[in-house]
Amino acid sequence: MALPVLFTERLILRPVAAEDFEDWARFHADETVMRFLGGVQPRSVAWRGLCAMAGAWSIRGFSMFALVERGSGRWVGRAGPWQPEGWPGTEVGWGVLPEFAGKGFAFEAAVAAIDYAVDVLGWDDVMHSIDPGNAPSIALARRLGGANRGPIRLPAPFEADPVDNWGQSATAWRARRSAGMN
């Protein structure tokens, strides 16, 4: 199977790879980044997560992408389609390193990833599982056109975490894109 590579104005979205591990581990060790993503992880747990993300391409046929800044080649974060076993829906998630936060990278990546999920994967719905205290992700979900559909439960080990289902139908997404969403 040929793995996809997507290009946006400032980013390359490509499947995660072994060369991403140092940045991946730094991402997962950062308290700010991981506050709403299950908490800080030691390198060994981050390694298993990287391998799970990479392996999902073979098992599910999709996974989150590594985000690489086109101009510099720096690793920005991760974003993309995600639906591990027991997940409550077809999710497009995102996360960027602190030095890239607030600069539109997550929005740019999420738009490309939702387009991919809807147009290539054929998803009828896209959701974002967001902690009610995560104001930046809620703002991004709103900017993407998502609506809060109420609380959901994630599978173990996250079943006790408060999470809301933000999302929209593929039809609503396509209408926003046709209307020139920015």
Side-chain angles (χ1 to χ4, degrees), residues 3 34 44 52 60 62 75 98 123 141 149:
L3 298 177
M34 295 303 293
S44 61
R60 289 272 195 208
F62 61 86
W75 196 88
W123 288 4
R149 301 168 175 170

Side-chain angles (χ1 to χ4, degrees), residues 81-169:
W82 186 238
Q83 191 184 26
E85 179 59 30
W87 215 248
T90 47
E91 176 160 20
V92 168
W94 53 78
V96 298
L97 287 167
E99 61 263 35
F100 295 101
K103 298 178 181 176
F105 286 103
F107 175 76
E108 192 173 319
V111 168
I114 295 171
D115 282 345
Y116 180 81
V118 168
D119 297 337
V120 177
L121 299 177
W123 288 4
D124 294 330
D125 188 80
V126 175
M127 57 89 65
H128 321 290
S129 54
I130 302 175
D131 184 296
N134 189 344
S137 280
I138 290 170
L140 178 51
R142 282 189 174 124
R143 185 173 176 203
L144 292 166
N148 188 343
R149 301 168 175 170
I152 54 171
R153 181 159 297 199
L154 298 179
F158 307 110
E159 68 274 13
D161 295 349
V163 176
D164 287 334
N165 176 354
W166 285 81
Q168 62 191 301
S169 69

Side-chain angles (χ1 to χ4, degrees), residues 49-61:
L50 176 79
C51 291
M53 200 68 70
W57 283 104
S58 294
I59 303 299
R60 289 272 195 208

Side-chain angles (χ1 to χ4, degrees), residues 33-96:
V33 170
M34 295 303 293
R35 178 176 175 204
F36 299 111
L37 298 175
V40 170
Q41 298 176 357
R43 287 176 63 86
S44 61
V45 174
W47 171 256
R48 288 191 293 276
L50 176 79
C51 291
M53 200 68 70
W57 283 104
S58 294
I59 303 299
R60 289 272 195 208
F62 61 86
S63 186
M64 286 198 190
F65 296 95
L67 310 178
V68 178
E69 188 178 34
R70 288 178 76 164
S72 69
R74 293 185 305 165
W75 196 88
V76 172
R78 59 176 171 80
W82 186 238
Q83 191 184 26
E85 179 59 30
W87 215 248
T90 47
E91 176 160 20
V92 168
W94 53 78
V96 298

